[in-house]
Amino acid sequence: MAHEAEVRDELGRLLARLPEATGVLAATVDGLVIAHEASDVHAETLAALSSAGLGIGLRLSDAAGDRSFRELLVRGEQGYVALYAAGPACVLTVLAGPRVNVGRLHMEARRSGAYVAHLLAGGADDREDA
């Protein structure tokens, strides 16, 4: 993939901005890994499940009469799994511990998701803080 290195760099920046995050992955909507920074998970499995979660989120939004799915948050005893639509072709998955500030998680992941979508749409790595 043409922008894999830039996407991986953005995932690293997201982890730096959100210390409570334990891993992050960008995958295609078909469930293929684009880039990841998650050492304790099987990236291919997480990508496939993220794609399935995106599909469920889209169907739930559609059933509720809102076709503009943006994100899905799953909370467990050990923390959170958050899925974010990153443009029409990508899903961003963030894993975080139970003490994460969920508002900050959303803010930082939305920012990264928008930038990843920009990269995958053919945008240059033109961030000022890159």
Side-chain angles (χ1 to χ4, degrees), residues 26-48:
T28 67
V29 295
D30 296 330
L32 301 175
V33 176
I34 297 170
H36 68 94
E37 293 289 335
S39 60
D40 292 340
V41 298
H42 189 259
E44 288 78 12
T45 300
L46 185 58

Side-chain angles (χ1 to χ4, degrees), residues 27-31 49-73 83-92:
T28 67
V29 295
D30 296 330
L49 290 169
S50 296
S51 174
L54 177 68
I56 289 169
L58 287 167
R59 288 190 181 251
L60 283 167
S61 292
D62 189 41
D66 181 1
R67 306 188 113 221
S68 60
F69 171 80
R70 298 284 184 246
E71 56 205 39
L72 178 68
L73 182 68
L83 305 177
Y84 300 87
C90 180
V91 58
L92 178 69

Side-chain angles (χ1 to χ4, degrees), residues 80-104:
Y80 296 85
V81 178
L83 305 177
Y84 300 87
C90 180
V91 58
L92 178 69
T93 303
V94 181
L95 308 174
R99 294 180 176 262
V100 71
N101 178 317
V102 175
R104 176 114 190 251

